[in-house]
Amino acid sequence: MTRLIDSPNAHLIADGNQYAPSLWSYQRRETIPVQIGDLYMGSDFPIRIQSMTTVDTMDTQGSIEQCIRMIDAGCELVRITAPSVKEAQNLENIRNGLRARGYHTPLVADIHFTPNAAELAARIVEKVRINPGNYADKKRFETIDYTDVSYQAELDRIRDKFLPLVKICKEYGTAMRIGTNHGSLSDRILSRYGDTPLGMVESALEFLRICEDEQYSNIVLSMKSSNTQVMVEAYRLLSKKLADGGFKAYPMHLGVTEAGEGEDGRIKSAVGIGTLLEDGLGDTIRVSLTEDPEFEIPVAQELVHRYEFRSAQSTPIEPVTIEKPYVSPINPFAHERRQTHEVANFGGHQVPRVIADFSQMPRIQMDDLKAIGHFYLPEPDKWAMNDLGADYIFTGKHAIDFMLPNGLKQIVNAAFWDGNAHVFPFFTWEEWCDAGNKHADLNFVLVEAEDITSISLSNNSNVILVIQSSNVHQMAALRRGFFALNQQNIQIPVVLKMAYPNVDENQLQLFAPTDAGGLLIDGFGDGIMLSMPYMQDKNALLNATAFGILQASRVRISKTEYISCPSCGRTLFDLQETTAKIRQVTDHLKGIKIGIMGCIVNGPGEMADADYGYVGIGKDKIALYKGQEVVKKSVPADSAVDELIALIKENGDWREPSINE
Ligand code: SF4
C-alpha cells in the first residue's frame, strides 16, 4: 500500500500547505489498513460508521439492547465507556450477550484517566480508545515552564504508563484509537504548544511515537473539537505532520465533539466532518448528537454515501497554476478571512450576508417574509426581525408590491430592474459585460467558478460576485474559483450560490453545510444564497440552514450556541430533556455559548469554549460554571435551570425574549 509520503507528489505534499492528496479531484488519503476484529478500516475500505452507547455500562442488558438498535441501524463499530475496572470487566458480559444474539460487531472501550481499565478492556474488546490528554495526566490547570530535560522526563513517565497497554494490544491483536480532544489537552501540552491545533496533533504524536517504537501500528487517530475551525485545522495538520514526519499514514476517525441536537447538531457535524471528507480525509466517522445513538447513524450514512461515486461523477477540475500547482495558496491550518474591499454591507469586516432566494415565487406577500425572520406587526404598523432575519431577498423577475422592512433589501434580475436605487440588479456575466445601466453602488454578477480564470475581472467597487458550480465536487470547484481570484489579486466580495435540486430536507441540512463549510472555514465567502426547487414551503428551512452554516463555521454568530455532550454511560442526568429545557429558556440569547455536560470527568474540558456551563456532578446534583470556573458547586437538579438563568443575569448577559422569539 502506498503511503502519502511515498506518493509521486511526495515532494509537493511535504512542502508547503499540502494536507490532502488533491485539492482538485476527489481522492481518499491513502492509509495503512487497521484491523478491528473482523472489520478493516482505511483507504482501501469504505468509510466506517460508528457511534457510542449512552446506557450505563453496568446495565448489561440495557447496553446489549442499545448496541443491537445501533447495529441494526447500520453502526459498524460500537463504543462503550469504561470509566473504571468494573465497567471494563463488564464489557465481557456485553460482548458475550451480543455474540449470543448473533451480533459480531466490534466493540471499543472508551477510556479516560484509568490505564488499569484500558489494560483489562484491551484483553476483552476489539479496540480501545485512549485520550492522550488524560491517560497519564490529571488536569491541574497549571502552566509549567519545562526545560527540554524536564519535558523529556515527562515523556519518559508517559512511556512507562502507556507501554503496558501497547504490549497488551499487540499481544491480543487489539486496535487502538489515540483520540485527542481539544477540550482535554494535558497541562504539559498546553504549557508548550498552547490551546492550538498543533498542541492537539503533538498530544497524539507523543503517544504514537511510543507505539511506533514498539512496532505497533494497529492505530486510528482523531482530533476532535466542538469548534469546527480548530477541528478541521487539527486534522489537516495531523495529515501533514504524519507525512512530513515519516510516520505511517494512519486512518483517521472524524468527529465534532458536543455538536448538540437537532438541526444545529446536524449542521455543525456536517461542517466539520463534511469539510474533511471533501478533501478525502477520514476513514471512519461518528456524528455526536444529543439524541439516542441510533439516530446518529442515518446522519453519518448520508454524509458518507455522497463519496461512494464522487470520483466518477465529478468533472475534472483544472488546477490553478500558482507558484506550486498542488499547494494551497492560503493557510489551511489557521482561519484567516480572504481580504476583500467593502461593498455596501458585504466584504471587508462585515459578517457574511444571507440572501433568500424567492425568485420562484410569483407573488410575494408580507406573511411570506416570516419564513426569513421578518415579521409585520399590524398594530404598531411596524416590521420586527428575529436573529435569523435574512439581509437580502432575490425576487428574480418578480416585483414586490409592499414596502420591505428596513433590514431587508431587494435584488432583481437585471433585465427587470427599472433603475430604482433601493433595489439592486443581478446580472449574468454576459449581461454585465454588455450592460449600459448599472447601479452606482451595488451590483450582483453571477459567474461560474470554473470561468474565473478565463474572464477579465477588475476590482470594481460596486460589484459583488455570486459564484456557483454545477460540478458534483462543488466545494473544490468553488475553492478553485477563490484560488483563481487570489491569483489575479481580485478583492471583490463573493457570495456562495448553491442549488440543491434533487435532495430532501434532511439531505439539504447535511450537504449544504458540507459544501459551504469548508470554504467559510478557509475564509472564503462574504455571503450565502441557497436554493431548492418548489421553494415556497422551503424558505424557512433554507434560511435557517444558511444561518446555521455561518454559525457552525463560526463566521457569523446569530443565535445561542449549545455545546451539549452526546451522553454516555457516565451521564448523570437526562441530557436530552435537560438540553431541551435549557434551550427553551435561553435560545434568544444571541452569541452566548452554553455547555451542557453529562459528567464532571470530561464535561468541563469538553466545553472549554463555553461562556456558561451546566455539568452533572452526582445524582441530581449540578455544578454551574462561568467560563472554566465553577461558581455554584452543588445545585439540586430541580432548581439548576433557574440558577443558570440567575447566573446569566448576574453576569449581565441576560435579556428578555422579544415578541418574535
Ligand atoms: S461529558 Fe458527556 S459524553 Fe463525555 S464522558 Fe461525560 S457524560 Fe459522557
Side-chain angles (χ1 to χ4, degrees):
M1 182 164 307
T2 318
R3 292 166 36 177
L4 187 58
I5 195 112
D6 300 329
S7 81
N9 290 330
H11 61 294
L12 292 167
I13 289 164
D15 174 16
N17 292 339
Q18 189 72 28
Y19 55 86
S22 171
L23 297 178
W24 319 109
S25 58
Y26 177 72
Q27 290 172 35
R28 289 271 300 273
R29 165 182 167 267
E30 289 186 9
T31 76
I32 59 166
V34 162
Q35 184 174 4
I36 308 155
D38 294 335
L39 186 85
Y40 284 85
M41 186 180 287
S43 55
D44 288 345
F45 307 96
I47 298 168
R48 305 295 185 187
I49 307 293
Q50 59 172 295
S51 183
M52 186 168 180
T53 57
T54 54
V55 175
D56 184 338
T57 309
M58 294 311 291
D59 175 358
T60 309
Q61 206 46 42
S63 295
I64 292 169
E65 296 302 334
Q66 190 174 51
C67 287
I68 290 175
R69 287 196 296 280
M70 292 160 67
I71 296 165
D72 287 347
C75 184
E76 297 176 273
L77 202 58
V78 178
R79 183 154 50 110
I80 304 176
T81 189
S84 71
V85 167
K86 74 176 179 351
E87 285 89 357
Q89 186 61 61
N90 202 44
L91 292 174
E92 188 157 23
N93 296 326
I94 296 171
R95 187 172 186 270
N96 291 343
L98 283 167
R99 300 292 177 267
R101 303 267 296 266
Y103 289 87
H104 296 270
T105 303
L107 301 181
V108 187
D110 195 60
I111 305 290
H112 295 270
F113 297 110
T114 45
N116 51 356
E119 289 162 21
L120 177 58
R123 295 178 164 98
I124 298 171
V125 292
E126 288 81 359
K127 185 176 168 194
V128 286
R129 177 273 167 123
I130 61 127
N131 178 343
N134 61 28
Y135 192 78
D137 295 280
K138 292 246 179 318
K139 197 115 185 97
R140 295 192 178 84
F141 298 99
E142 285 170 355
T143 307
I144 305 156
D145 217 355
Y146 288 103
T147 61
D148 286 350
V149 173
S150 61
Y151 202 90
Q152 186 55 47
E154 277 290 286
L155 295 181
D156 292 343
R157 184 181 62 81
I158 291 169
R159 177 178 293 269
D160 290 346
K161 277 215 161 177
F162 182 49
L163 212 48
L165 177 65
V166 176
K167 291 193 163 146
I168 294 166
C169 286
K170 259 182 92 171
E171 184 188 340
Y172 283 76
T174 309
M176 182 189 295
R177 169 158 67 100
I178 302 177
T180 304
N181 270 9
H182 181 219
S184 51
L185 295 173
S186 65
D187 290 343
R188 178 183 62 264
I189 286 287
L190 288 172
S191 301
R192 180 156 280 203
Y193 300 98
D195 177 16
T196 60
L198 178 61
M200 293 172 69
V201 173
E202 284 299 330
S203 174
L205 294 186
E206 286 181 354
F207 282 70
L208 189 61
R209 288 187 190 101
I210 298 169
C211 296
E212 287 210 338
D213 287 350
E214 294 299 308
Q215 284 86 46
Y216 171 68
S217 57
N218 211 24
I219 296 169
V220 179
L221 299 168
S222 66
M223 297 282 128
K224 295 194 190 182
S225 171
S226 69
N227 176 330
T228 54
Q229 290 183 1
V230 170
M231 175 257 187
V232 166
E233 288 155 11
Y235 277 103
R236 288 172 171 175
L237 194 59
L238 173 69
S239 170
K240 180 170 158 52
K241 287 267 174 194
L242 289 175
D244 289 356
F247 292 96
K248 290 186 194 314
Y250 295 94
M252 289 183 187
H253 163 130
L254 306 185
V256 176
T257 49
E258 336 302 346
E261 54 168 3
E263 173 187 297
D264 290 343
R266 283 162 175 75
I267 292 175
K268 193 169 180 185
S269 298
V271 165
I273 296 171
T275 292
L276 294 160
L277 291 176
E278 283 289 310
D279 279 332
L281 271 54
D283 305 284
T284 177
I285 71 167
R286 191 256 169 130
V287 173
S288 319
L289 300 174
T290 311
E291 297 175 24
D292 289 339
E294 53 270 33
F295 296 122
E296 296 177 351
I297 307 301
V299 179
Q301 287 170 333
E302 282 289 7
L303 285 173
V304 160
H305 284 169
R306 277 188 111 190
Y307 302 95
E308 273 171 25
F309 306 104
R310 173 63 64 91
S311 332
Q313 287 168 338
S314 46
T315 317
I317 299 171
E318 189 194 331
V320 178
T321 310
I322 310 164
E323 202 183 334
K324 290 172 183 147
Y326 297 95
V327 175
S328 169
I330 52 121
N331 182 355
F333 312 119
H335 174 79
E336 199 178 316
R337 190 160 172 197
R338 171 181 165 255
Q339 283 209 342
T340 55
H341 52 246
E342 215 164 290
V343 178
N345 59 353
F346 285 87
H349 292 100
Q350 299 282 341
V351 292
R353 299 292 162 189
V354 172
I355 302 178
D357 183 356
F358 275 45
S359 58
Q360 293 171 50
M361 287 178 69
R363 176 124 203 278
I364 300 164
Q365 305 192 7
M366 281 178 166
D367 250 16
D368 295 323
L369 303 192
K370 278 186 188 163
I372 57 169
H374 294 272
F375 302 80
Y376 178 67
L377 310 173
E379 206 31 72
D381 186 22
K382 280 199 169 68
W383 286 93
M385 180 171 85
N386 69 16
D387 289 338
L388 304 191
D391 304 289
Y392 287 81
I393 179 169
F394 174 53
T395 60
K397 60 182 182 182
H398 307 296
I400 289 186
D401 57 10
F402 55 89
M403 278 266 284
L404 285 175
N406 277 338
L408 183 67
K409 298 192 167 51
Q410 188 184 0
I411 307 169
V412 292
N413 280 341
F416 294 85
W417 182 55
D418 60 5
N420 180 344
H422 300 293
V423 175
F424 304 99
F426 187 98
F427 297 89
T428 62
W429 175 251
E430 293 70 27
E431 286 170 340
W432 174 252
C433 292
D434 297 338
N437 201 11
K438 296 175 180 174
H439 197 289
D441 302 320
L442 179 59
N443 301 275
F444 294 85
V445 181
L446 179 68
V447 293
E448 297 297 318
E450 290 82 350
D451 292 344
I452 288 177
T453 32
S454 58
I455 58 179
S456 163
L457 286 163
S458 53
N459 275 310
N460 300 44
S461 60
N462 60 354
V463 168
I464 305 291
L465 284 184
V466 179
I467 67 169
Q468 65 177 9
S469 170
S470 54
N471 198 314
V472 176
H473 202 33
Q474 185 176 195
M475 190 272 240
L478 293 184
R479 180 172 55 195
R480 178 197 184 276
F482 282 101
F483 285 8
L485 290 173
N486 179 298
Q487 184 190 36
Q488 297 170 49
N489 203 18
I490 297 295
Q491 299 194 339
I492 300 175
V494 171
V495 169
L496 310 173
K497 182 175 186 302
M498 295 173 163
Y500 293 90
N502 302 312
V503 306
D504 63 29
E505 297 183 10
N506 292 329
Q507 290 170 322
L508 176 90
Q509 289 194 327
L510 298 174
F511 297 174
T514 293
D515 297 334
L519 298 166
L520 294 163
I521 283 175
D522 278 341
F524 298 141
D526 306 286
I528 184 163
M529 179 172 169
L530 301 178
S531 52
M532 290 172 92
Y534 318 112
M535 289 190 309
Q536 193 136 354
D537 59 339
K538 308 274 177 26
N539 288 329
L541 170 81
L542 289 162
N543 193 57
T545 304
F547 275 100
I549 292 170
L550 299 180
Q551 171 118 0
S553 311
R554 300 174 84 91
V555 293
R556 178 172 179 176
I557 304 300
S558 46
K559 39 190 174 175
T560 322
E561 184 164 337
Y562 299 93
I563 305 169
S564 56
C565 81
S567 88
C568 70
R570 283 195 174 97
T571 310
L572 291 160
F573 56 86
D574 185 330
L575 253 159
Q576 290 179 42
E577 198 188 298
T578 308
T579 303
K581 235 195 263 173
I582 293 176
R583 202 174 178 133
Q584 198 181 3
V585 290
T586 59
D587 71 355
H588 59 289
L589 300 176
K590 172 176 170 172
I592 301 277
K593 297 193 214 89
I594 301 178
I596 308 162
M597 299 289 145
C599 78
I600 190 81
V601 183
N602 291 321
E606 302 293 353
M607 59 170 203
D609 231 12
D611 301 306
Y612 295 93
Y614 182 109
V615 179
I617 52 165
K619 187 146 175 36
D620 296 329
K621 286 280 177 277
I622 305 297
L624 297 177
Y625 284 65
K626 169 79 184 86
Q628 280 292 293
E629 204 186 318
V630 197
V631 282
K632 299 190 183 184
K633 273 198 179 125
S634 184
V635 182
D638 285 354
S639 56
V641 175
D642 292 339
E643 290 285 336
L644 175 66
I645 293 172
L647 179 63
I648 298 173
K649 285 182 176 167
E650 281 158 30
N651 284 279
D653 287 330
W654 181 263
R655 65 177 178 82
E656 295 304 324
S658 82
I659 191 163
N660 303 306
E661 288 168 331

